[in-house]
Amino acid sequence: MSGKDKNNMSMNGIDVSGWQKGIDLSKVPADFVIIKATQGTSYVNSDCDRAYQQAKAVGRLLGVYHYFSGGDPAKEAEHFVNNIKGYIGDAILVLDWEGEQNAKFSQGPAIAKPFLDKVRDLTGVKPLIYMSKSVCRQHDWATVAAEYGLWVAQYANNNATGYQANPWTDAKGFGAWGTPAIFQYSSAGRLSGCNGNLDMNIAYMDAAAWKAYAKGTQAIQTPKADAPNGSVLDLAYGVMTGKYGNGDARKAALGSRYNEVQSEINHIQEASAATLAVETKAGRYGNGDVRKAVLGGKYDAVQKIINGQSTGNGSGAVYYTVKSGDTLSGIAVKYGTTYQKIAQLSGISNPNKIYVGQKIRVK
């Protein structure tokens, strides 16, 4: 029907609102149709049920959404549920979270989650939340992502397009979500059976999963992002340039690589400029823009030491803070010296006894 690869676990569809009033959904190719039902605490889309029943009659999978208008979350949720009771169990439910006409948009999860929770409590179904991809990174959505799936929007351009099997998206991640359940990639879609523009979407699921979500028998669960490839330096550079976000979003994006990368970043923040200069000379922090980003605010001090303009501490001494698993001999190898020399410089009587957090002189 939609022209996609039938072996691919994805489906193509559109979403419509009052702007497409009267659209003949029996003539527009789509695996699914998501229809605006309500907004605020008073608006009801007068064309919603006509469109819904027409799409259902020709076998389309269905969804309905509520546009949040900045009111009380519980009251807006009740208005939504009261006007979609005939669709519960048949259609996926969605909260449309956008800035326009939403006075509480800046509060993000603090307002959106109570709405989602109320809909879940009233219907037994966990809704999705719709937002632009940039909004995924404007807040820490971890508490929402833990329970509710994401329908996200990002457009490569405004060019007319049909369905796309692999639509463009940037490499900045989806915040607290590993991947979206549905991706809206254009508002300039052109399909047979409709003369105007349409919102184009791809759902990363099959029909069985869609129906399970609609019935509330399967929670929307988006897979966590795979641990990214690359060296610790590559990933640290990505963190320092904002690629992986912060907090729970960073943990989700880095996956099993999180601890090693965060440990490296913590080391850079805690180490002296002299220590970092030694490590930089050994190639640990790369060159050029990579080095500048990874070293952050310590870059200039480190470069001065490397360029012979400063010793960083007035004496040329280099210090190291002992970490879990360190041995004096291992530290010595890292700094091109001997454990005996370090013990002498640091006044360590027993080289086998060092402790985490101990600051020792290595040169």
Side-chain angles (χ1 to χ4, degrees), residues 227-249:
N229 295 320
S231 67
V232 172
L233 175 62
D234 293 334
L235 300 183
Y237 174 69
V239 168
M240 299 302 287
T241 54
K243 181 177 180 179
Y244 301 115
N246 295 295
D248 289 332

Side-chain angles (χ1 to χ4, degrees), residues 23-342:
I23 184 173
D24 188 344
L25 294 171
S26 68
K27 295 181 179 179
V28 180
D31 296 311
F32 62 88
V33 179
I34 305 175
I35 306 165
K36 181 176 181 179
T38 54
Q39 180 172 336
T41 56
S42 59
Y43 174 81
V44 177
N45 178 8
S46 61
D47 197 44
C48 178
D49 192 64
R50 180 208 65 81
Y52 189 99
Q53 300 304 336
Q54 185 181 63
K56 184 175 182 178
V58 292
R60 309 288 191 258
L61 295 167
L62 289 155
V64 288
Y65 73 88
H66 173 86
Y67 190 106
F68 196 84
S69 283
D72 177 85
K75 291 181 179 178
E76 291 209 21
E78 289 168 356
H79 176 63
F80 177 47
V81 172
N82 287 338
N83 286 280
I84 60 160
K85 288 185 175 179
Y87 312 146
I88 296 172
D90 187 48
I92 64 168
L93 312 180
V94 183
L95 166 62
D96 186 349
W97 187 259
E98 300 183 50
E100 188 177 355
Q101 302 177 50
N102 181 356
K104 296 181 179 177
F105 181 70
S106 64
Q107 298 181 52
I111 300 298
K113 190 172 188 299
F115 176 96
L116 296 164
D117 290 345
K118 187 67 173 180
V119 172
R120 177 202 60 202
D121 293 345
L122 292 172
T123 66
V125 176
K126 290 186 177 182
L128 278 71
I129 184 169
Y130 168 94
M131 66 182 74
S132 68
K133 192 173 182 184
S134 61
V135 177
C136 293
R137 302 187 290 268
Q138 289 177 1
H139 301 280
D140 183 354
W141 291 93
T143 58
V144 175
E147 298 186 66
Y148 303 103
L150 175 68
W151 175 15
V152 74
Q154 186 179 46
Y155 307 156
N157 51 54
N158 294 317
N159 298 337
T161 182
Y163 287 125
Q164 297 180 26
N166 295 290
W168 171 88
T169 185
D170 65 34
K172 297 180 180 180
F174 298 91
W177 288 273
T179 62
I182 305 173
F183 180 38
Q184 182 186 95
Y185 51 87
S186 178
S187 61
R190 296 297 178 88
L191 298 173
S192 60
C194 179
N195 293 325
N197 287 335
L198 292 167
D199 291 341
M200 306 294 279
N201 301 271
I202 182 169
Y204 299 109
M205 65 182 84
D206 60 14
W210 185 289
K211 292 175 182 178
Y213 298 150
K215 291 181 180 297
T217 56
Q218 178 176 332
I220 295 283
Q221 294 181 349
T222 55
K224 292 183 178 179
D226 292 334
N229 295 320
S231 67
V232 172
L233 175 62
D234 293 334
L235 300 183
Y237 174 69
V239 168
M240 299 302 287
T241 54
K243 181 177 180 179
Y244 301 115
N246 295 295
D248 289 332
R250 182 185 295 177
K251 288 183 179 179
L254 293 176
S256 62
R257 304 292 302 278
Y258 174 79
N259 287 337
E260 62 177 320
V261 176
Q262 195 61 44
S263 177
E264 181 76 345
I265 292 170
N266 292 343
H267 168 70
I268 293 169
Q269 293 173 343
E270 296 168 3
S272 68
T275 296
L276 295 175
V278 172
E279 295 170 343
T280 299
K281 288 180 180 179
R284 182 166 174 173
Y285 304 117
N287 297 291
D289 290 338
V290 173
R291 180 187 297 178
K292 185 176 291 187
V294 170
L295 294 178
K298 294 186 175 181
Y299 173 80
D300 288 342
V302 171
Q303 283 301 122
K304 284 182 179 180
I305 295 172
I306 292 173
N307 295 333
Q309 298 175 21
S310 168
T311 63
N313 53 33
S315 67
V318 177
Y319 292 87
Y320 175 80
T321 301
V322 177
K323 296 179 175 58
S324 177
D326 277 341
T327 63
L328 212 58
S329 58
I331 297 170
V333 170
K334 182 183 298 185
Y335 287 92
T337 184
T338 66
Y339 76 86
Q340 294 94 339
K341 183 65 175 178
I342 294 177

